[in-house]
Amino acid sequence: MEASRISIFQRPTWVVVFALTAAIAWGWAFPLIKIGFSAFGITPDMTGSKMLFAGIRFALAGFIVLTLARGNGRSFRTGSGSDWWFILAFALMNTALHYFFFYIGMSHSEGSRAAILNSLSTFLVVLLACACFKSDKLTSRKLLGCIVGFGGVLSLNLGGAESGQFTWLGDGMIILNALCGASANLMTRGLSRRVDVFVGTGYSLAIGGSLLVVSGLSLGGSLPHVNALGISCLLLLTAISAIGFALYNKLLSCNPVGRVAIYNSLIPIVGAVTSCLCLGETFHLKYALAGGLAALGIYIINKGKN
């Protein structure tokens, strides 16, 4: 009887299935964003257009999640007015700022490089969760895993200019994106105490996406060349956001943060491989080293007790 009361999102097998589904989906976002930029004719200097592209994606995803939540009878009730301030802060961190930095960084960096660098968020979540939550304890395995993983991120800057070097508009923006993502992960548990997590996720995407749309339009953003390929990429990215965030935030709300976040190690590997295959990018040897160290760091953390 006790086992039957355990949510499907807390059962070990389904935690793995749902977490990997979200991670694989997010990994495909890297090449899709680059292809979408190219299809719509959005160049690296078109900041407003990048914000508009991102905003449309997340606003649509948010409305889809909210519609499904309403159809499934989810409660939209919040405790008090202060809860709305928390939801707004979560929307800013999880969507608006997070993806402002991400889309700027993606347009100034190779998709494969950005995917690996973005794995920094995973290790930050593990360390910060240990500092913030009693259910996430810092162990020697977690510390070793984070050191190995950080080593993978640092190895991206090995080699000469021909294999890619650090840039503020590229790597710097992706690092800021990783910091926002890690912070939002920690805020998810607070979100679940204020509103149904699926509803909160929908609010976050819809509000954050709308803020990005407004920002993009205010900066003169547009989609210069609307075509079937661009629209297809936008719809696929919308589906990735709706499915990925709904599953991932629910998992974070009812499991130790470190136990869920570790599966994001698959994102850089999927992102790097799909970017090289879909975009024709050169797969530098240090990408394999960085991706391998990131995956090893996560494996070490996962082998320990969370």
Side-chain angles (χ1 to χ4, degrees), residues 23-31 115 265-276:
I24 292 172
W26 279 329
W28 272 97
F30 290 88
S265 62
L266 195 59
I267 295 176
I269 298 172
V270 175
V273 172
T274 55
S275 291
C276 291

Side-chain angles (χ1 to χ4, degrees), residues 146-157:
C146 287
I147 292 172
V148 172
F150 277 122
V153 173
L154 292 175
S155 72
L156 280 176
N157 293 297

